[in-house]
Amino acid sequence: MSHQSQPKERLPYARRHILPIRLEQQDHAELTKTAEQEQRSMSFIAMRRYQAGLALEQSQNQ
């Protein structure tokens, strides 16, 4: 079990919408492995990656 030096983040409370995504098998395996290593849900990891990609996209547009 790995120990984190930072406290776990919490998503802000809001109305949440379900968004199904389809992943290739290797992408799913990598997401599962990352979630287990960080002791987080796959949804949390996917949302964090989405937010990082969105921030990158917005910074490139400016």
Side-chain angles (χ1 to χ4, degrees):
M1 177 165 50
S2 64
H3 296 281
Q4 295 178 340
S5 60
Q6 299 177 355
K8 292 184 177 181
E9 299 174 44
R10 292 187 70 69
L11 294 174
Y13 179 79
R15 282 192 195 175
R16 295 194 174 98
H17 301 276
I18 296 171
L19 178 65
I21 59 172
R22 294 188 183 271
L23 299 173
E24 297 290 333
Q25 286 184 345
Q26 72 183 51
D27 294 331
H28 182 269
E30 190 277 331
L31 183 60
T32 302
K33 181 180 176 184
T34 302
E36 287 176 5
Q37 287 175 343
E38 296 186 19
Q39 297 179 345
R40 288 296 196 172
S41 70
M42 290 172 54
S43 297
F44 183 89
I45 302 297
M47 183 64 180
R48 187 177 66 191
R49 290 178 179 180
Y50 167 78
Q51 289 173 335
L54 183 60
L56 177 63
E57 186 178 274
Q58 290 173 344
S59 71
Q60 290 175 347
N61 289 336
Q62 293 179 355

